[in-house]
Structure formats: structure tokens, C-alpha cells
Amino acid sequence: MEFKWLAVLRKVAQSLVSLVAEGAPRKTPLYDEHMRLGAKMVPFAGWLMPVQYTSIVEEHRAVRNNVGVFDISHMGQFIVEGANARDWLNTMLTNNVEKLDVRMGQYTFLLNDRGGIIDDLIVYRIDEQKYLLVVNAACADEDFAWLQVHLTQGRSCILTSRSANFGALAIQGSQTTALFHALFGKEIELPTRNHIIDVPFDTTAASVARTGYTGEDGIEVFFPSNDAVKFWSAVLEQGKTLGIKPCGLGARDTLRLEMCYPLNGSDLSPKRNPIEAGLGFFVDLTKPDFVGRHALLETKEFGTREKLVPFRMKEKGPPPRPHYAVFRNGERIGKVTSGTLSPSLNWGIGMAYVSSAHAKIGAEIDIEIRAQKFPATVEKKPLYRKPAP
């Protein structure tokens, strides 16, 4: 059975590499650690990143059952600060930044003028007039340039990138709380969901956010690049008794897809808006003004031609992949944006944009794979639900 998984999931790296940027790939501060652990490295979004250490399935199951750690130092980190930081960010992002108390974060979008998604990101309010934006690696340079262009003169607001000087790890899984206390001390309380705190670590400090991209309990930790190896080593050492495994992009992709979390560049793009993507919850159209608002109001009024839906294959067979055509009763109605063989469900799953008329839960569709059509069903989010204890 294992050889089947290896053969099927080997292609995950190939789909991920579709986001590769031109030029020589950059390396995170943990590159040498990944090589020392025998990771398979691939170019991703302009970076050399580990796609797996042992196997995608093993790393995926470690997160679902125990705990795993991911290097996410390739992601961009911006600081926006000043007296007008909140008001300006509210004109640039879809969610309502005014709702953030200090130490809170929210998922949001950066849009173009047509309402298309430049990037999806998390914004944290880390002080009264200071915000941290964590953005996707593939979009970091474009995001920064777009924000700079819209930072007009006269605003008491400063935008800087700390990406080159900071690293980050994602620790995900049911043993996260135990690992957090092993790292930072039993007297320090874990932040609540979507909150961020500063904690001392050795002779330095880190910021810990209760967020993640796997559907499991987890934290994302941000720290100066110089502390990356020290922190990574401590996580692996303290996590030994908890069943920790270092995890790569392959497991990150299968984990997020089981939860129907979108991947920028695949499920999200400048040609798609948040309403089409089924993520209108993170758009506050009651705000008087933000980039892309007018286009989204039109979408809200007239509806969408297509919607992003999760689906599950009805038969065992080859897994769905991005760009495969979607049919209903012989008529082409859309295209797969993400697909894989789910390690948790042992079944083919994916997401696809399909015509809105066929986007209802329970709709019967067909995925064209290698010139053959295989039956699937539009499902409710998420595709994976953790079993009751």
C-alpha cells in the first residue's frame, strides 16, 4: 500500500512548483538544517524549500495525530505603524481592521481594483498603532509594491518589510499545547485562537500566534533570523516525546486541502474575487471604502458566474489534479484548482471552480482524468472532520 501512496503523492511537489518565481531560489535561515535532516528540497515561490523529509503521508499523519513543525520563514512579514495605520489598512484590506484589539489577528484579502485577489494574508495588531502583516511568499514583493503605491503622502503611517531579518515556524497538532509549555514554561498561557503574544525564549524573545493552515490546533512563531536554528533545534528536541516530525510543503498541501483552505496561485488569483471563492465572510462591505469594494458590490448584487467548491471522488482511482476539466451530464462546467489523494480519508479530493448552477452541495459531477471521466460529488466544507475522542 505504501508504494501506492508514494507514487500518487510524488506528484504533489510538481503541482506546488507551479508557483516558482524566476531567478536563483533563496534559502531560509534553516536551509542547512533541512539538508542535515535529509529533506528533499524543491524550488517554491522563489525559495528552496523542503517538500518532504520521510514521506508526505507520514508527516501528514504526524500533524493529524501528534504534532509537526514547518519552516515558514519564506513568508513575507510587513510592519505598518503610525497614527493612521489602522485607517489606511482598512482602505487596503477587505476585513474590518477596526475590530482588532491589541494582540488580535484576522484573515483578510488584498485586492486589485477589479476585486481580484492579489493575496490572502493575516494581519495582527501588535501594538496600539502597529500592525504585522504575514503574506504569502510568492506574493510578498508584489504585495509590498502595491501597498507602497497606495501609501499616499500626508498619512502618518510607515510601511516596512522585515522579511529578510525574521524567520517563522508553524507548529501544528494536538500536542501543540504540551510543546508550547515545554518551550516557554508552564507559567506562560497559550494565546487564544487568532491572538498573538510575545514570549521570552532563552536570551531572546518570540511572537506566538494561535493560527495555522492545517485544521489542527497550532501556533505560528515569529523570531529574528539569527535565532532560527536555535529555535528549530529546541522545537525538535522538546517535541521528541510528543511524536514530533519536521514536515514539508507536501504535507502542508494535503492538510490544508482536507480542510478546504485555499492556496494562493491555485484556488485564489487576481482573476478571482473572495465571493467567488466562497470567502465573503472575510469581506466587510459595510466599510465605506476599500480597494476593490465597488467590484465586490456588483458581484454581490448580480451573483457569480462560477463558485469554488470542494469535491470528493466517488470511486477509487487516480487522484484529481489542478487544471483537470469538470463535467456534468457531458457538459463542461469548470476546472479543478487543487486536488490530491487524501491521507486521512484515503480518497481523492479537491476544489474546483464550477458554474454557480452546479455548485450546490450534493451535486453529481465528473472529473476528467487522462481522457476518462470519474464521478465525484460536491461536498460541504471541510472535507475532513476530526473523529470524536
Side-chain angles (χ1 to χ4, degrees), residues 94-96 99 105-109 194 273-287 290 296 300 381:
T94 62
N95 215 330
N96 196 335
K99 294 181 178 179
Q106 63 183 199
Y107 180 71
T108 188
F109 297 99
N194 294 325
N273 68 48
I275 297 174
E276 289 176 295
L279 298 166
F281 179 80
F282 304 102
V283 177
D284 188 349
L285 288 172
T286 66
K287 293 195 302 181
F290 62 87
L296 295 189
K300 194 79 172 176
K381 300 178 184 178

Side-chain angles (χ1 to χ4, degrees), residues 29-203:
L30 294 169
Y31 174 82
D32 290 339
E33 296 301 303
H34 301 319
M35 294 298 292
R36 185 177 62 82
L37 291 171
K40 178 181 179 182
M41 307 295 288
V42 298
F44 174 80
W47 295 79
L48 278 175
M49 297 296 295
V51 70
Q52 66 183 67
Y53 297 82
T54 51
S55 79
I56 293 172
V57 175
E58 188 175 319
E59 294 161 24
H60 178 110
R61 289 174 178 164
V63 173
R64 287 281 180 250
N65 299 322
N66 297 300
V67 65
V69 58
F70 302 82
D71 179 11
I72 56 170
S73 301
H74 60 312
M75 299 186 75
Q77 298 184 36
F78 305 156
I79 297 293
V80 178
E81 55 188 322
N84 294 126
R86 183 191 68 182
D87 293 341
W88 177 68
L89 281 174
N90 236 4
T91 68
M92 297 304 302
L93 304 175
T94 62
N95 215 330
N96 196 335
V97 182
E98 289 186 1
K99 294 181 178 179
L100 292 179
D101 293 328
V102 175
R103 297 297 168 189
M104 284 180 61
Q106 63 183 199
Y107 180 71
T108 188
F109 297 99
L110 184 69
L111 304 182
N112 58 32
D113 294 320
R114 300 179 304 280
I117 300 169
I118 297 173
D119 201 2
D120 63 328
L121 60 121
I122 296 181
V123 54
Y124 300 99
R125 186 180 180 187
I126 56 176
D127 209 336
E128 285 292 338
Q129 299 180 354
K130 189 174 184 179
Y131 296 82
L132 167 65
L133 278 60
V134 181
V135 306
N136 284 296
C139 311
D141 293 340
E142 181 184 358
D143 290 357
F144 193 81
W146 181 256
L147 290 167
Q148 268 194 321
V149 165
H150 288 80
L151 189 60
T152 55
Q153 291 183 351
R155 287 187 181 272
S156 301
C157 185
I158 300 171
L159 167 70
T160 56
S161 175
R162 71 179 199 184
S163 306
N165 301 316
F166 271 73
L169 296 179
I171 299 171
Q172 301 284 297
S174 59
Q175 296 294 330
T176 294
T177 298
L179 183 51
F180 173 87
H181 290 304
L183 289 166
F184 302 113
K186 295 187 182 299
E187 71 283 358
I188 298 180
E189 189 173 340
L190 195 69
T192 54
R193 183 70 180 169
N194 294 325
H195 283 66
I196 188 169
I197 61 172
D198 291 332
V199 295
F201 176 73
D202 197 15
T203 58

Side-chain angles (χ1 to χ4, degrees), residues 284-305:
D284 188 349
L285 288 172
T286 66
K287 293 195 302 181
D289 182 46
F290 62 87
V291 175
R293 179 177 181 269
H294 180 71
L296 295 189
L297 284 173
E298 287 188 345
T299 300
K300 194 79 172 176
E301 181 179 358
F302 297 108
T304 62
R305 187 176 64 86

Side-chain angles (χ1 to χ4, degrees), residues 257-261 310 379-386:
L257 187 48
E258 289 183 346
M259 300 306 299
C260 304
Y261 294 156
E379 299 283 340
K380 182 179 180 180
K381 300 178 184 178
L383 289 163
Y384 166 80
R385 289 176 174 81
K386 201 168 185 67

